[in-house]
Amino acid sequence: MDIGVCIFATDYAIPIDELARETEARGFESLWVPEHTHIPSSRRSPWAGGAELPKEYWHTYDPFVSLMYAAAVTKTLKLGTGICLIIERDTITTAKEVASLDRLSGGRFLFGIGGGWNAEEMAHHGTAFKTRFHKMGEQVRAMKAIWTQEVAEFHGDHVNFESMWCWPKPAQQPHPPVLLGGESSYTLQRVVDYCEGWFPRSRQPALVIQGMRELKERAAKAGRDMQTLSVSVFGTDADAALLDTYRTAGVTRCILRLPSEGRETILPLLDQYAQLLR
């Protein structure tokens, strides 16, 4: 089982290039950053983490800019979005960014995506909360067409384009793995339908293991090999016993959370987390 770290890459946290170098030097597999273009000040959509939304949510750098900066100063570290809100993005432009980052990094990109929770944020981008998952499915399928076909074409309710050329193609073949965040049965079915991995956030191993069983059952019904579907547990506590439980269960990777703080806080935490690597 691989171990990575994630952080809200903000304008007040440790610079992402320094973090990337230090993360790679300690032997971690991957570095992950989330995405929020902005947070509407109305704050009508409730945050699952509590009443007070941390300011890091509206101080994040663009994930593709951050990860390209990280890629430029590392050689083996995998670079992931955890998560990219594709439902707030233009599909063709995002496909181009993914392919560019993957190719320029030498095939090190992992594309974590999700439907999001902030209805007002989506509305500012012209996305309807109720139909966001339908849009997300079309976007993933359309991007895969762009990444894998010399002449791509797609026609859906939310994504629609005539035949076109779009290069470069990603370094990874056929494309970077798409990992979907969420914990519901609907999420698991979407993973089977159009993704390469499941990206649960739960810190409760029993729920993750139960979800893995359901994912295996749904994959079997759809004729998909479970071996082709990764499981990356996001925001895992830095606890050796917990990691051993996930390792025994067959989890692909665990991603440990770093606070959005400066180097004086982050580097000692990286040293502490590194003791969990095997």
Side-chain angles (χ1 to χ4, degrees), residues 33-226:
V33 298
E35 172 175 46
H36 281 281
T37 56
H38 67 294
I39 295 295
S41 58
S42 68
R43 292 293 297 111
R44 288 193 296 270
S45 287
W47 177 53
E52 192 70 25
L53 185 70
K55 70 175 184 177
E56 60 195 27
Y57 275 78
W58 60 92
H59 278 261
T60 54
Y61 285 114
D62 177 90
F64 291 98
V65 174
S66 296
L67 293 177
M68 190 64 251
Y69 199 14
V73 298
T74 55
K75 296 182 182 300
T76 61
L77 187 70
K78 292 184 179 180
L79 309 154
T81 48
I83 58 172
C84 176
L85 294 168
I86 63 170
I87 47 92
E88 297 179 359
R89 287 175 156 268
D90 178 81
T91 304
I92 298 172
T93 302
T94 304
K96 171 76 78 172
E97 288 187 316
V98 168
S100 298
L101 174 55
D102 190 61
R103 195 163 192 91
L104 290 171
S105 68
R108 291 187 277 146
F109 181 57
L110 301 168
F111 195 20
I113 66 169
W117 56 271
N118 195 313
E120 295 78 58
E121 180 183 350
M122 295 173 205
H124 288 181
H125 290 281
T127 296
F129 187 79
K130 290 184 178 180
T131 58
R132 69 195 189 282
F133 289 111
H134 185 84
K135 179 179 180 180
M136 182 174 66
E138 287 190 4
Q139 287 183 286
V140 172
R141 292 182 173 99
M143 286 190 286
K144 287 185 175 182
I146 293 171
W147 295 330
T148 61
Q149 298 173 16
E150 184 169 348
V151 180
E153 183 174 345
F154 191 89
H155 301 285
D157 296 326
H158 301 274
V159 182
N160 187 58
F161 53 82
E162 302 293 338
S163 61
M164 54 103 146
W165 300 312
C166 184
W167 296 75
K169 303 301 184 185
Q172 296 181 75
Q173 295 297 316
H175 53 73
V178 180
L179 317 179
L180 178 59
E183 291 76 42
S184 70
S185 293
Y186 295 109
T187 297
L188 296 174
Q189 188 58 50
R190 293 178 186 118
V191 170
V192 171
D193 289 343
Y194 54 81
C195 297
E196 286 72 50
W198 181 36
F199 208 31
R201 294 166 295 178
S202 176
R203 297 176 182 178
Q204 302 179 47
L207 295 179
V208 174
I209 293 170
Q210 179 182 341
M212 291 174 67
R213 294 194 192 102
E214 183 179 348
L215 181 62
K216 183 176 181 180
E217 293 171 0
R218 290 178 179 274
K221 289 180 181 178
R224 289 201 64 177
D225 183 359
M226 184 64 186

Side-chain angles (χ1 to χ4, degrees), residues 6 9 16 22 28 46-48 99 103 171 177 179 195 200 207-208 216 239 245 248 253 257 263 274:
C6 61
I16 193 70
E22 298 289 351
F28 291 97
W47 177 53
R103 195 163 192 91
L179 317 179
C195 297
L207 295 179
V208 174
K216 183 176 181 180
D239 179 83
T245 298
T248 301
R253 69 174 56 82
R257 176 75 181 269
R263 67 187 314 273

Side-chain angles (χ1 to χ4, degrees), residues 209-254:
I209 293 170
Q210 179 182 341
M212 291 174 67
R213 294 194 192 102
E214 183 179 348
L215 181 62
K216 183 176 181 180
E217 293 171 0
R218 290 178 179 274
K221 289 180 181 178
R224 289 201 64 177
D225 183 359
M226 184 64 186
Q227 297 300 316
T228 66
L229 297 174
S230 66
V231 177
S232 304
V233 184
F234 188 78
T236 315
D237 289 334
D239 179 83
L242 179 62
L243 295 178
D244 281 341
T245 298
Y246 282 133
R247 185 178 290 107
T248 301
V251 166
T252 308
R253 69 174 56 82
C254 281

